[in-house]
Amino acid sequence: MTGFNQTFINKVSECLCPPGNGVFTVNTAKERKEQLHKAMYGFTTDIVDIWQQKLKQYNGEQKAVMLGIASDCGGGILRGANWGPLFLRSTLLNQYPNLNYFDLGDVRVIPHLLHDKYLNEATIANCRKALYGSADSVHGVSPLSITEKVLHDFYAQNPDKGIFAIGGDHSISYPLTKAYLQAKKKAGKRAAIIHFDAHTDLLVERLGIDLCFGSWCTHILDDLHEPHHLIQVGIRSSGKPKSHWESTFGVKQHWAKEVREVGIERVINNIKAQLADQEIDELYVSFDIDALDAEFASATGTPEEDGLTPEEAMAVIKSLAALYPITGADMMEIAPFTDSSGRGAISSEQTLKVGAEISAFLIEQMEKM
């Protein structure tokens, strides 16, 4: 077992920050961050120094490595998913105290930015000065750009480990899955993406922006061995029928109404048959919390009715985990301060509870890598 080399530690120390600190704040939620740091480290002061020391002490024992990306700039309906990493971490620590993983920290997020390709050189230089103290820094400044560059280095040095990421809006899964798929291809592995969502996320662009929560899937298809290695589960909110998405992009979808019509076991068996036919080696699970019915997960930007139950979602994941190693995963779109149900704090607590249950299982599976 080996930990991180000094080059990677240096990059992480510059591009990332301690867990929970990804949301740029002055006083707002200060007490929540302190609670998280107390639970993780036993202290609420000198957290940067403690976090950096943990990076140096990591010996590679944990295979699941957590990363928070507290960005909702790629969303566009109801904002608030930037608080997901802080709140979900706290819920996991509280409800699953024996869960084993290494927390890498949070991507440093300038909340107005999405990807560096949308910025001019003057803006990039100014943001580099703000983030890194020098306009001459070589690092990216936008959350999607930083995430992808850090993960390329991560996988190059740690091929036996995987990232469990917490968002943030679903645009974040673009760099997460892109870096993952490219690393797996380089290693000669055939990986499939199991994508839970109420929406297809298969737009080419949204209002002129090609990388966002509604289009990220479209832009990773070339990184799969075959487009139908993107398998979507729980779809139900779409302006076009299933046949359009499957014929246009070549993906495979299992809509929520199919679960109602034929039952979850039939859907699971169909997914198993497809994976076996394609000789898939490993799985990445990308979970948008709105894949679940709004009755169970309403603290999110786009809650939708007639969705999956937590039990149905877990049945799919558990059945596939029994056959294939899950070597990467993410939990997206939990927005703790957002409530469409009228139940206030109860809505947030329930959404975090089911999100934590699914996340804990995924992390446990990744530890088996």
Side-chain angles (χ1 to χ4, degrees):
M1 293 182 293
T2 58
F4 304 132
N5 65 31
Q6 191 59 51
T7 300
F8 184 70
I9 290 173
N10 291 344
K11 185 166 190 174
V12 168
S13 296
E14 293 182 1
C15 295
L16 272 56
C17 59
N21 282 7
V23 179
F24 181 77
T25 62
V26 180
N27 292 317
T28 304
K30 178 182 178 182
E31 71 285 351
R32 292 184 181 274
K33 292 182 180 181
E34 290 180 344
Q35 289 172 6
L36 176 65
H37 295 152
K38 182 71 173 179
M40 291 186 66
Y41 303 129
F43 299 93
T44 59
T45 58
D46 301 319
I47 296 303
V48 173
D49 291 339
I50 295 172
W51 166 66
Q52 291 179 343
Q53 190 61 35
K54 292 291 184 181
L55 293 174
K56 296 175 183 177
Q57 294 173 349
Y58 174 63
N59 63 6
E61 182 178 358
Q62 296 97 338
K63 296 295 185 68
V65 177
M66 185 176 288
L67 176 66
I69 308 98
S71 170
D72 62 3
C73 192
I77 308 298
L78 295 177
R79 299 295 178 88
N82 57 324
W83 292 104
L86 173 61
F87 279 70
L88 185 57
R89 274 191 179 97
S90 296
T91 304
L92 286 168
L93 287 169
N94 182 51
Q95 297 183 4
Y96 301 90
N98 297 320
L99 195 60
N100 192 35
Y101 58 89
F102 180 80
D103 202 319
L104 193 62
D106 281 359
V107 170
R108 298 179 69 187
V109 173
I110 296 177
H112 331 297
L113 305 184
L114 181 58
H115 193 285
D116 285 5
K117 72 176 186 174
Y118 301 127
L119 306 176
N120 59 36
E121 289 300 322
T123 300
I124 291 175
N126 203 38
C127 291
R128 280 174 171 163
K129 187 175 181 180
L131 282 182
Y132 311 117
S134 171
D136 297 324
S137 171
V138 298
H139 300 311
V141 298
S142 306
L144 269 61
S145 302
I146 294 172
T147 300
E148 185 174 351
K149 291 178 180 179
V150 167
L151 290 194
H152 279 309
D153 286 357
F154 173 85
Y155 287 119
Q157 298 176 23
N158 303 276
D160 62 331
K161 299 176 180 62
I163 291 290
F164 177 80
I166 308 174
D169 75 73
H170 220 154
S171 68
I172 294 159
S173 290
Y174 167 75
L176 292 170
T177 54
K178 195 171 190 66
Y180 170 88
L181 290 170
Q182 290 180 358
K184 295 305 175 183
K185 269 190 176 180
K186 188 174 182 179
K189 301 289 186 180
R190 292 171 66 85
I193 306 292
I194 311 298
H195 171 212
F196 290 85
D197 208 315
H199 315 92
T200 68
D201 294 357
L202 283 168
L203 299 176
V204 176
E205 61 178 34
R206 185 175 187 269
L207 299 175
I209 302 298
D210 61 344
L211 298 179
C212 67
F213 72 144
S215 63
W216 70 273
C217 285
T218 309
H219 302 288
I220 64 160
L221 294 179
D222 287 343
D223 294 300
L224 293 158
H225 281 87
E226 300 289 344
H228 54 265
H229 294 173
L230 173 64
I231 301 173
Q232 301 184 311
V233 184
I235 307 297
R236 58 196 182 279
S237 179
S238 171
K240 296 181 180 179
K242 173 182 174 179
S243 58
H244 166 80
W245 302 111
E246 290 193 335
S247 63
T248 301
F249 294 99
V251 304
K252 181 61 180 174
Q253 295 181 337
H254 302 273
W255 284 40
K257 66 179 182 180
E258 294 176 42
V259 176
R260 303 281 82 80
E261 292 170 355
V262 305
I264 193 63
E265 289 303 321
R266 176 80 64 83
V267 171
I268 290 171
N269 288 336
N270 289 340
I271 295 173
K272 285 181 180 179
Q274 179 189 348
L275 293 173
D277 181 63
Q278 293 297 309
E279 300 181 338
I280 295 298
D281 298 309
E282 302 179 14
L283 301 180
Y284 182 108
V285 176
S286 182
F287 203 102
D288 186 323
I289 201 68
D290 69 30
L292 302 179
D293 190 278
E295 176 185 351
F296 308 101
S298 58
T300 185
T302 52
E304 303 283 358
E305 296 181 350
D306 301 320
L308 303 177
T309 68
E311 292 76 18
E312 288 167 341
M314 285 294 289
V316 175
I317 297 172
K318 287 182 177 180
S319 295
L320 297 183
L323 299 174
Y324 301 94
I326 295 175
T327 55
D330 62 56
M331 177 60 65
M332 296 291 157
E333 297 283 2
I334 294 178
F337 294 134
T338 300
D339 174 40
S340 63
S341 68
R343 293 178 295 159
I346 296 176
S347 171
S348 177
E349 291 170 4
Q350 183 180 41
T351 304
L352 284 163
K353 183 176 184 294
V354 296
E357 179 185 5
I358 295 166
S359 297
F361 182 80
L362 290 169
I363 292 170
E364 288 171 349
Q365 295 308 303
M366 291 176 64
E367 274 296 299
K368 298 178 182 179
M369 289 176 62

